[in-house]
Amino acid sequence: MQGLTLRNTLRKALGLASLVAAIATPALAADKLTYFTWSGYELPAFNKSFLKEHPDGVETSVFSDDDEAFTKVKAGFHPDLAHPCYDKIARWNKEGLLQPIDTKRIKNWDTIFPVFKDLPDIQAGDGKVWMVPWDWGNTSILYRTDLVKDPAPSWNLLWDKQYAGRLATIDAVHDTPVVAAIMAGVNPFDMSPADLEKVAAKLREQRPLLRAYTTDMTSVEQSLASGELVAAMTWNASATALKKQGAKVEFMKPKEGMLTWACGFVMLKDAKNVDLAYDFINSRLEGDSGKELITQYGYGSASKAAFDLVPKEELDRLQLPADPNVVLKSTVFTGPMKQNDELAKMFEKIKAGG
């Protein structure tokens, strides 16, 4: 009996000790992938198989443009995966922010269009890359066809004085200043000091005509729908969204060329959840995930497998060819900008009235 009492006392003591330990030491949270991306790219439909395997397994933070993302990560924010665009990869790499991604662990690597997976700045050697391409799209002018009658197919529409106060453009170095460079007749990706001055003059000419510089595409879409804006620089997704709403809009094909961009996943050097990161990338590269990207936003998937799931009639409606090479023949591909920092400073100055 004394032995039983002793055992019961010991059991109670151990139970109490466990309770005290549980109170003193919070339960360890399940591992979560931290993902840093553009607003709108956090949709569960883009990574269904990942969430099936890892319910509640991803925590997403969003940025409004690549420069904001770069600045935040450089300042000490530590996600596992980020989603910048190709033209910024060399910059991230130069700062030592990335670790190579092993393509042998990317199940659908071979489905990625060669034009994207062979981009020079993503190559890390020995079957590794600095970025896994996932999405691509265009930047152009979205305009109200009932308020802007038969405009010439040109970026000049965003410099047209008759629409002063009813125009908007994107507040990002790799968008508006690139177009200004094209219109000034200089190479946007490698500019001399004299070239930079030409771009500055073109941006100063445009500034008083604009209602806004913005990356808030929801507000732009609302303003176009209401007629407050008659034309704005946007991405494919805004054209897709407004057409679904029945708005009278068209996504222009400027004679000088739309801008075409490609973005993808990079793994941060100090990523804590590397295996989850690979699972997430693999999920995003499944054909069904890319199909969702195409049909919901009108963006192109980097994977041919996604295009194989979308009917040609739907692609025609979205003005999206199944082969990105078709687009690239008539557009300006946004690559690394050698004078990015100088251009960024100049752009900020001009926006402020300088």
Side-chain angles (χ1 to χ4, degrees):
M1 181 67 79
Q2 285 181 345
L4 182 59
T5 303
L6 182 60
R7 283 197 298 274
N8 286 339
T9 303
L10 188 58
R11 245 188 233 112
K12 287 178 182 177
L14 288 171
L16 182 60
S18 298
L19 179 61
V20 170
I23 294 171
T25 307
L28 291 174
D31 286 343
K32 272 193 176 186
L33 177 78
T34 52
Y35 173 47
F36 193 31
T37 188
W38 302 83
S39 177
Y41 277 67
E42 69 278 12
L43 300 188
F46 294 156
N47 39 261
K48 292 176 186 174
S49 64
F50 176 87
L51 292 174
K52 185 176 180 181
E53 185 76 18
H54 310 284
D56 196 32
V58 58
E59 185 174 299
T60 305
S61 298
V62 299
F63 53 80
S64 59
D65 67 63
D66 293 87
D67 290 321
E68 178 193 330
F70 173 77
T71 300
K72 191 170 181 180
V73 171
K74 189 179 174 184
F77 178 54
H78 298 298
D80 297 308
L81 283 180
H83 192 159
C85 292
Y86 167 66
D87 58 295
K88 306 296 184 185
I89 297 305
R91 192 181 186 202
W92 286 58
N93 222 350
K94 184 179 178 182
E95 293 294 330
L97 300 175
L98 308 179
Q99 64 171 290
I101 297 172
D102 188 351
T103 60
K104 294 185 182 68
R105 295 187 65 179
I106 305 301
K107 294 177 183 176
N108 290 312
W109 177 252
D110 289 340
T111 71
I112 297 175
F113 291 104
V115 69
F116 297 127
K117 69 179 181 180
D118 295 338
L119 287 168
D121 280 352
I122 74 168
Q123 306 305 316
D126 194 27
K128 295 182 173 61
V129 292
W130 299 112
M131 182 188 89
V132 175
W134 187 64
D135 57 313
W136 60 273
N138 299 116
T139 303
S140 189
I141 301 172
L142 185 62
Y143 67 95
R144 284 280 300 265
T145 56
D146 55 334
L147 300 177
V148 182
K149 298 290 187 181
D150 301 317
S154 172
W155 284 108
N156 267 323
L157 179 57
L158 295 182
W159 276 264
D160 193 328
K161 292 179 181 178
Q162 70 176 307
Y163 301 116
R166 303 180 74 188
L167 305 170
T169 192
I170 297 176
D171 187 3
V173 175
H174 50 266
D175 289 305
T176 298
V178 168
V179 171
I182 292 168
M183 300 309 290
V186 303
N187 180 355
F189 310 111
D190 189 7
M191 290 180 268
S192 67
D195 290 337
L196 282 166
E197 282 304 313
K198 290 179 184 177
V199 175
K202 200 68 184 170
L203 289 170
R204 288 191 183 99
E205 178 189 335
Q206 183 187 52
R207 184 180 177 277
L209 307 177
L210 298 176
R211 187 173 189 86
Y213 295 96
T214 183
T215 56
D216 182 359
M217 290 297 116
T218 301
S219 294
V220 168
E221 290 160 21
Q222 291 170 348
S223 296
L224 281 167
S226 70
E228 182 180 344
L229 291 176
V230 299
M233 181 189 290
T234 72
W235 303 302
N236 309 62
S238 293
T240 301
L242 285 179
K243 285 182 178 181
K244 284 180 179 178
Q245 294 170 28
K248 296 178 180 179
V249 294
E250 190 59 49
F251 198 51
M252 183 184 283
K253 292 183 178 178
K255 62 185 179 182
E256 301 88 3
M258 294 180 174
L259 304 185
T260 297
W261 42 264
C263 308
F265 307 115
V266 297
M267 197 179 303
L268 279 296
K269 190 174 183 178
D270 51 3
K272 295 180 175 64
N273 297 293
V274 172
D275 290 339
L276 283 178
Y278 278 106
D279 286 351
F280 185 85
I281 294 170
N282 282 325
S283 179
R284 287 270 171 137
L285 278 174
E286 291 172 356
D288 189 57
S289 299
K291 177 187 174 183
E292 291 288 339
L293 175 69
I294 293 168
T295 56
Q296 291 207 40
Y297 288 157
Y299 292 142
S301 169
S303 171
K304 183 181 182 300
F307 278 95
D308 290 343
L309 298 176
V310 183
K312 183 180 183 302
E313 308 80 63
E314 177 72 358
L315 294 176
D316 290 343
R317 186 183 68 79
L318 294 168
Q319 297 178 294
L320 194 66
D323 182 355
N325 286 296
V326 173
V327 171
L328 292 170
K329 286 177 182 176
S330 61
T331 63
V332 178
F333 185 67
T334 307
M337 301 167 67
K338 291 185 179 179
Q339 290 76 33
N340 185 91
D341 292 346
E342 296 95 318
L343 196 57
K345 289 175 185 174
M346 177 256 281
F347 189 37
E348 289 301 317
K349 181 179 178 182
I350 290 170
K351 286 188 297 178

